[in-house]
Amino acid sequence: MLGAGLAVWAVVHSVITIVQALPNRDVPVALPFLDTVAQAPLGPDGAPVPVELGSGVLVAPELPIASLWALVIAEVLFATVVVAVVVLLLLLTADILRGRIFSKRNTGIVTTVGIVALVGLAGVPFFRNMVANGALAWISDYTYERGLVQTIDLPVLFGAAFIAALAGTVFSVGDRLQRDTEGLV
């Protein structure tokens, strides 16, 4: 039930984001900020105080067409990955509940989940970075001097790749051991 709710949420979230962005007017874009200091009215009587930004949402009056397409691709990829992972894990869970843990099918499911998750972990931030960079370039009339933002988290990506490979190996070895020991008892 939780998995189905997560899949529905991902699809609804992506559809809403795409529908908001497609008119290409006042598009909210999440931005990571690195070593960026801004003034916030937090002092006495609203006096400006320097704060270091970690992230924020920029409302871009419009996006370059490439960035708009990147936003659509990122959202479609996000929803597709979440739905695919949820469906595959539900299939795996159903097999496990039936007592079929190690099988070629389950090995394939676990391997596919790992690959799909890795595609999502790399692809979604990649396209969202394109959106953020396009918004910064457009708003600054291509004069933004801080450089391009890139927020793919390599330790998470490598950790997920390791876990995916480990899970695939465990299911593969378990399947082989199960086949080798059938009929011995």
Side-chain angles (χ1 to χ4, degrees):
M1 190 67 158
L2 182 62
L6 180 62
V8 168
W9 170 82
V11 170
V12 168
H13 175 270
S14 290
V15 167
I16 289 171
T17 302
I18 291 169
V19 167
Q20 282 180 333
L22 280 182
N24 204 12
R25 286 187 307 275
D26 299 327
V27 182
V29 177
L31 296 173
F33 290 100
L34 302 172
D35 301 325
T36 303
V37 177
Q39 299 293 320
L42 302 173
D45 297 320
V49 175
V51 295
E52 186 173 328
L53 298 177
S55 65
V57 176
L58 170 71
V59 178
E62 63 181 315
L63 293 174
I65 295 302
S67 296
L68 188 61
W69 276 105
L71 185 145
V72 171
I73 292 169
E75 292 304 321
V76 168
L77 182 61
F78 173 73
T80 302
V81 165
V82 171
V83 169
V85 167
V86 166
V87 167
L88 289 168
L89 289 179
L90 288 174
L91 290 172
L92 179 66
T93 302
D95 269 3
I96 290 172
L97 290 175
R98 289 185 193 114
R100 288 181 266 155
I101 298 172
F102 298 114
S103 66
K104 285 188 186 282
R105 173 188 159 140
N106 288 351
T107 301
I109 288 174
V110 168
T111 302
T112 304
V113 164
I115 292 168
V116 169
L118 286 173
V119 167
L121 284 171
V124 172
F126 174 79
F127 287 109
R128 287 184 176 163
N129 289 337
M130 288 178 66
V131 176
N133 289 325
L136 286 172
W138 193 266
I139 284 198
S140 70
D141 198 24
Y142 301 94
T143 61
Y144 183 68
E145 295 181 14
R146 290 274 187 184
L148 303 176
V149 293
Q150 185 69 359
T151 59
I152 293 176
D153 194 354
L154 289 178
V156 169
L157 192 61
F158 288 133
F162 175 77
I163 291 170
L166 182 65
T169 302
V170 166
F171 270 80
S172 180
V173 169
D175 178 37
R176 189 174 331 120
L177 286 174
Q178 185 171 318
R179 279 186 281 127
D180 290 348
T181 59
E182 280 180 6
L184 290 180
V185 179

